[in-house]
Every structure is written in C-alpha cells, then in structure tokens.
Amino acid sequence: MVESMAVTEAENPLVGEITCGSLLQKLQEIWDEVGESDEERDKMLLQIEQECLDVYKRKVEQAAKSRAQLLQALSDAKLELSTLVSALGDKSFISIPETTLGTISEQLAAIAPALEQLLKQKEERVKEFSDVQSQIQKICGEIAGNASEQTGAPAVDESDLSLKKLNEYQVKLQELQKEKSDRLHKVLEFVSTVHDLCSVLGMDFFSTVTEVHPSLDDTTGVQSKSISNDTLLRLAETVSALNEDKKQRLHKLQELATQLIDLWNLMDTPEEERILFDHVTCHTSASVDGVTVPGALALDLIEQVEVEVERLDQLKASKMKEIAFKKQVELEEIFARAHIEIDPEAAREKIMALIDSGNVEPTELLADMDNQIAKAKEEVLSRKEILDRVEKWMSACEEESWLEDYNRDENRYNSSRGAHLNLKRAEKARILVNKIPGMVDTLVAKTRAWEEDRGISFSYDGVPLLAMLDEYAMLRQEREEEKRRLRDQKKYGEQQNTEQEAIFGSKPSPARPSGTKKVVGPRANGGTNGTPSRRLSLNATQNGSRSATKDGKRDSMKLAAPANFVAISKEDAASHVSGTDPVPASP
C-alpha cells in the first residue's frame, strides 16, 4: 500500500510538498533514527491503512446517503408533479419532461421548472376556488340568515382544483346570485307594499318594517338588506296582517259611511255639512285594492266618523217624529203607487202614541217602519205585472171611449183642421179596442193565479179587481144586447119608411129640431137609449180612486171601472143612433 501511495504521489505532479508518500518517508526516517522494530513498524502501517479505510468508508456512506436523498427528492418531485397534474387537470397546458434520462441531478433539475409552474398555478387556482366558495358561503349565509355567524374563509379541497370543478362552483354561484337577486326583488316589493299599506292605514312605516328586520330601513343600502327565509316569511306575514287590517277598517268605514248617508237622508242634512265627509263617503263602494289615498283608513279618521255617527244618532232621537212621519209618507206613496188602500190617519195616530208613550226605542220604531217599507216594496213587485196590465186595460178603455165619441161625430169626415190626425188615431184605437177582450181574459187569469198563490183578494184602490172585471164583462154583454136591439129598431124603422114611401110617395125629411141636435163630446154615464146603466165613470177611477188625495183618502164606494166598456166596431158605429133622436127619413 505504501508502494501504491508512492506511485500515486510520483504520478501526481499537482500534489504539494506534504503528501502521503512524503509523510510516510518522513515517518520511516524517524523510525530509523529511533530504531523502531519491524514488528512495530508493520503494526503502525496496518493501523494507518485501517484508518484510511475508515475514512473512505465514511465518504462512501455519505455519498450513498446523498444519492438516496436525491432519489427521494426526485421521487417526491415526481409524486408532487403527478398530484398537481391530477389536481389541476391541466396536463395538456404544461410541458412535462421525461424523467427517465440523465443523472439524478439532471432529472431533478428537469422537473423543477414544471413543478414550479404547477405550484404557481395551484396557488392561483386555490385563490380562485377560495373566492368563489367564499361568495357561495356568504350568499348561503344570507339566505339562511346566519351570515354574521360565519367567520374565516372556507376550506378548499386541493385534491380537485380542475377548471371543471371551478366551473361547477361558478355555476352554483351564479344560481345563488340569481336567487339572491330574486329574493332581494321580493324583499323590496314587500317593503314597498308595507310602505303603501302603512301610508293608507296611517301607521309608522319605519317601526313596522324594522320590527321585521333592522336592515330593511331606508338608510341601509339595497345589497345590505336581509334576504333570509325568515325575513321573507315575516314580511309576507306582515303584508297579510296589514291587508287584513285594511280590509276590516275599510269594512268598518263603509258601514259608518252608509249609516252617515242614511242619517243625512233622514234628517235632510245640508250639502255643506256632507262635503266635510266626502273623503269618507267616497269609499262607500270602493274595493280594498282601490283605496290608496294616504291616511284614508287611519284610526283617528275612523274614530272621527264614529263620533259623527253617534252625534247624528242622538240628533235623530230628538227628531224622531219628523223622521217617522217622513217614513210614513214614503210608505203611503208606495201603497198609492201599488193602488193599495190604507188608513193613513190611523197610522199617524199610532206613531204619535208610540213616540209619546216612550215605550218604544226610536231605533226600534224606525227599524219597524223600514221593515214595513221593505215589505211594501215586495208587495209592489208582486203586483207590478197585474197593475201594468190594468193600466193598459184602462188606457184601452179610454181609447174606446174616445172612439165611441168620435164615431158619433157627424162631422168627423169633414176637411177640418186636425181631421186626418183623428182619423189615424181612430184606426189605431179600433185595433187596440179589439184587443180588450183578450186583455181582460189575461188579466182575470193573472189575478186569479195571484190570489191563489197569496190566499188573499187582489184589490185595486179598495175594490176587488175581479169584481171590477166581472162588472166590466156584464156591462159589455148588456151593451152588446143593446146594440143588437138598436140595429133591429133601425131596420124596422127603415122598413116602415119604405112601406110609407110605396103608399104615399117620397117626401123630404123634416129638418131636425135645433133643440135635439147631438153634442159631440164625452158621453154621460147611461145607456144609449137614455136609460141609466150600471157602469161607473172611468174618470172616477183615474182621477179619484187611482189618485190618492193629500190625506190619503179614497172613495171606496165607487167601483174602479172604465167609462165605456164596449168598443163599437166601425160598421156598428156608422149605424149607431141615440135612442132619444128621431130616425131620419130616407131622402
């Protein structure tokens, strides 16, 4: 070994003065001088050789350890590279070097740039994930109503940082942002509705809305308002409660307004006093949604109306007689229109006695009279159809009377002024008169059906209508018989004249005495031959029985029947001659 060291020293010209060979030579020189034995010398050289081996061994071990560390670092780098590529999912965007070529250090150096780039991308991607997840967490907290309880950024799952996963989070964030926008819109709508309702109801909007959530105050920004489920639910409940309150207040106000108007009408309140409550009465028939005027349903306004209604109620009690008589007049007018006969004097005396006795409450008396008025109106409705037919029948009888007078007028065909108008009226009157029997039959049927349904007699101004109609039918029959008798008498007279002419010759007819000249106009009641008839005047029906006098009395002793019950046909009218006039001789 010493020889090898000497050879190495000789072959290495770069070695300085102190080398292993020079030291060994120096050591031998010392040994020679000392006289060291060969045995000791060999032992010492062996020891030196062993120590050299130990040094080499340590160096080899250190080198092996360093290599192992490099291999571990390379393995870790490869693993981290693989993990990053898998997590980022961006292998196509990163140039991954071949790690199977070159020394360990070269392989490690080749991986380092890609690894550094991936680590940088990972850091940026983690930040993006953190931002998106933070926004998602914030919106979810706002929806859940616990945004203030959430602290710190959300944990990012670094095992999957791919763009696909990031896009999923972004899509979820967009959905949540849309939901937040929709919720915010609903919140603002609710707040606006609460504001409008509070305005109409005269309530404090600020205290009402902040009771739901403090963030709903106008001073806070739009994005700062609570959009939680609880806030939306409480807002909906608040709106529902305010709407119900509005509905009840409007109903109460409308009832008070109706009472107010009724009291005004009862007491003839002047218009200048009514105008003071126009802002109340204008809502009498309004819908809940139609009332939008600020303060229109405020409690103090409703209380004001209640006070006014109470004041008018007290005033009404002091004017009870006047109001009661006014209602009595209304009742009498209803009965008069329905041609129902009543005793107004007795009714007024009864009202006076009730009020003076004090045994009846004013409100009860008025309520009873209102009930009588309501029943009277119902009675009018039940009689309306029959009364309308009675009016048509009487109108037709008036035309019949006019037609009869018209047919007796000897100058009706003269070219006098207005003759053509009378001729047209006569044509229409004949058509109408021919319908009278049908009118009577229908009226009788309707009246009998009414009486069977009600179980009472149908009276017209105190006279049973069926009796009037029966009287009319009987008189019509008598009239027909009288017409036949007159026709027979006329034929007999003409026959006698013909016979006399044949015997004595034709003679001019003597002039009609001026004292017996026929007067054209309405006929008096009586038969055509001068004998009294059982008919009663139509004028008595229309101007007397049908029209109530000021004190409500009617002549109940007269039958309400038309004056001229029987229509005279056109050919009969031409041959009709009064029984008191002489029969003219033929020229």
Side-chain angles (χ1 to χ4, degrees):
M1 183 176 180
V2 175
E3 291 177 355
S4 64
M5 290 178 62
V7 171
T8 303
E9 183 181 352
E11 293 177 353
N12 187 4
L14 299 176
V15 177
E17 295 179 354
I18 300 176
T19 63
C20 289
S22 63
L23 289 174
L24 181 58
Q25 185 178 357
K26 186 69 176 175
L27 183 58
Q28 293 222 8
E29 289 176 356
I30 295 172
W31 282 343
D32 287 341
E33 291 178 4
V34 174
E36 193 70 48
S37 65
D38 292 337
E39 184 180 354
E40 287 295 329
R41 290 183 182 188
D42 292 338
K43 185 178 179 181
M44 186 64 68
L45 290 173
L46 184 59
Q47 185 179 359
I48 291 172
E49 186 177 359
Q50 186 62 42
E51 289 178 358
C52 288
L53 287 175
D54 291 339
V55 170
Y56 277 112
K57 185 184 292 185
R58 285 197 301 274
K59 292 298 181 182
V60 169
E61 289 176 356
Q62 290 177 0
K65 185 177 180 180
S66 177
R67 183 187 63 182
Q69 290 176 348
L70 287 174
L71 288 173
Q72 185 62 43
L74 180 60
S75 176
D76 291 343
K78 289 180 178 180
L79 180 60
E80 186 173 6
L81 184 66
S82 176
T83 302
L84 288 172
V85 170
S86 176
L88 295 172
D90 299 335
K91 184 175 181 181
S92 59
F93 301 101
I94 300 298
S95 178
I96 306 300
E98 270 307 325
T99 57
T100 58
L101 300 176
T103 63
I104 297 175
S105 297
E106 290 173 348
Q107 294 179 34
L108 191 57
I111 291 176
L115 187 60
E116 182 181 357
Q117 187 176 358
L118 288 175
L119 286 172
K120 184 178 180 181
Q121 285 189 6
K122 176 185 177 181
E123 183 180 353
E124 293 175 352
R125 193 69 58 79
V126 167
K127 185 177 182 303
E128 291 178 358
F129 269 84
S130 180
D131 290 342
V132 173
Q133 288 180 241
S134 295
Q135 294 182 59
I136 291 174
Q137 178 179 303
K138 180 182 178 182
I139 296 176
C140 289
E142 291 175 353
I143 293 174
N146 58 359
S148 59
E149 300 176 4
Q150 298 180 3
T151 57
V156 178
D157 181 12
E158 297 185 3
S159 64
D160 188 357
L161 300 174
S162 64
L163 291 175
K164 179 181 178 182
K165 187 68 173 180
L166 179 61
N167 184 61
E168 291 177 0
Y169 277 115
Q170 288 173 339
V171 170
K172 183 177 180 181
L173 176 60
Q174 291 175 356
E175 292 175 353
L176 289 172
Q177 286 174 337
K178 184 179 183 303
E179 182 178 356
K180 177 181 178 179
S181 176
D182 294 341
R183 285 170 171 263
L184 185 59
H185 183 67
K186 287 183 181 178
V187 167
L188 294 177
E189 281 187 346
F190 276 132
V191 170
S192 177
T193 303
V194 171
H195 179 274
D196 294 341
L197 289 171
C198 287
S199 175
V200 173
L201 297 174
M203 299 174 60
D204 183 18
F205 164 71
F206 177 80
S207 61
T208 302
V209 79
T210 52
E211 186 178 347
V212 176
H213 197 277
S215 67
L216 301 179
D217 180 19
D218 286 340
T219 58
T220 59
V222 174
Q223 296 299 325
S224 302
K225 296 188 183 299
S226 173
I227 59 170
S228 66
N229 293 329
D230 181 64
T231 299
L232 286 171
L233 178 61
R234 294 184 64 185
L235 276 173
E237 291 174 349
T238 301
V239 170
S240 178
L242 290 175
N243 274 324
E244 183 62 27
D245 195 12
K246 180 181 179 182
K247 180 180 179 181
Q248 292 178 359
R249 290 193 192 185
L250 178 60
H251 180 67
K252 185 174 183 180
L253 188 68
Q254 288 176 336
E255 287 183 343
L256 290 171
T258 302
Q259 295 176 27
L260 204 58
I261 293 172
D262 291 341
L263 290 169
W264 285 341
N265 294 336
L266 280 175
M267 295 183 287
D268 291 329
T269 303
E271 191 65 28
E272 53 269 18
E273 291 186 23
R274 301 188 183 197
I275 292 176
L276 299 176
F277 289 90
D278 275 352
H279 58 292
V280 175
T281 55
C282 66
H283 300 307
T284 303
S285 58
S287 63
V288 176
D289 295 333
V291 181
T292 58
V293 178
L297 300 178
L299 287 176
D300 56 348
L301 175 64
I302 296 177
E303 291 174 359
Q304 179 184 357
V305 180
E306 287 178 334
V307 170
E308 179 65 14
V309 170
E310 185 177 355
R311 184 186 72 82
L312 292 177
D313 269 334
Q314 295 175 355
L315 183 62
K316 179 183 71 174
S318 65
K319 300 178 68 175
M320 181 51 58
K321 289 184 179 179
E322 180 182 346
I323 297 172
F325 286 151
K326 183 182 291 187
K327 287 186 175 291
Q328 178 62 26
V329 170
E330 181 182 355
L331 186 62
E332 292 170 6
E333 290 175 352
I334 294 173
F335 282 131
R337 288 195 300 269
H339 295 277
I340 299 175
E341 194 171 61
I342 61 173
D343 187 355
E345 287 297 330
R348 291 170 185 268
E349 291 176 0
K350 182 179 178 181
I351 291 172
M352 287 289 293
L354 286 173
I355 295 175
D356 293 339
S357 67
N359 296 330
V360 62
E361 288 291 333
T363 54
E364 293 180 2
L365 176 60
L366 293 181
D368 180 65
M369 297 193 72
D370 287 335
N371 188 37
Q372 292 182 43
I373 291 173
K375 290 181 177 179
K377 289 179 179 179
E378 291 178 1
E379 184 72 12
V380 168
L381 288 176
S382 70
R383 295 167 62 92
K384 185 177 185 303
E385 183 181 3
I386 294 177
L387 290 176
D388 290 344
R389 293 182 181 275
V390 169
E391 291 295 326
K392 292 180 180 179
W393 170 54
M394 289 185 173
S395 177
C397 289
E398 290 177 358
E399 287 299 294
E400 182 184 29
S401 176
W402 177 89
L403 182 62
E404 188 173 342
D405 292 336
Y406 175 78
N407 288 333
R408 290 201 308 271
D409 185 6
E410 297 177 355
N411 299 320
R412 62 183 179 276
Y413 297 120
N414 294 344
S415 58
S416 59
R417 185 173 183 180
H420 67 288
L421 297 177
N422 288 334
L423 183 60
K424 289 183 178 180
R425 179 179 176 182
E427 292 176 358
K428 293 181 180 180
R430 291 187 186 97
I431 295 173
L432 183 60
V433 167
N434 290 334
K435 295 180 181 179
I436 291 180
M439 290 182 182
V440 173
D441 292 342
T442 303
L443 192 54
V444 169
K446 292 285 184 182
T447 305
R448 285 176 179 169
W450 187 93
E451 291 183 348
E452 290 176 2
D453 182 57
R454 295 288 181 121
I456 57 176
S457 174
F458 189 102
S459 297
Y460 188 93
D461 291 331
V463 181
L465 181 58
L466 287 179
M468 292 173 58
L469 295 172
D470 289 343
E471 178 76 4
Y472 172 80
M474 182 178 63
L475 293 177
R476 184 183 183 87
Q477 184 178 0
E478 291 179 359
R479 190 66 172 279
E480 291 293 336
E481 292 175 357
E482 186 176 1
K483 285 168 57 180
R484 285 195 295 271
R485 184 181 62 79
L486 289 173
R487 284 197 297 271
D488 294 342
Q489 182 180 352
K490 181 180 179 181
K491 289 179 181 179
Y492 177 77
E494 290 176 350
Q495 184 178 0
Q496 291 295 324
N497 289 335
T498 303
E499 292 176 356
Q500 290 179 4
E501 288 176 2
I503 298 173
F504 301 105
S506 176
K507 295 189 292 183
S509 298
R512 182 191 299 263
S514 59
T516 60
K517 186 175 182 180
K518 185 67 177 177
V519 178
V520 178
R523 296 188 306 163
N525 293 329
T528 55
N529 59 355
T531 59
S533 171
R534 295 174 62 187
R535 287 186 315 220
L536 295 176
S537 173
L538 172 64
N539 293 333
T541 302
Q542 294 181 337
N543 299 331
S545 299
R546 278 200 297 164
S547 301
T549 60
K550 186 173 182 181
D551 58 359
K553 293 182 178 180
R554 295 180 179 83
D555 187 2
S556 59
M557 299 300 295
K558 296 181 180 180
L559 286 174
N564 300 293
F565 290 104
V566 182
I568 302 176
S569 64
K570 190 173 182 180
E571 60 274 11
D572 291 340
S575 61
H576 177 67
V577 180
S578 174
T580 59
D581 294 336
V583 178
S586 301

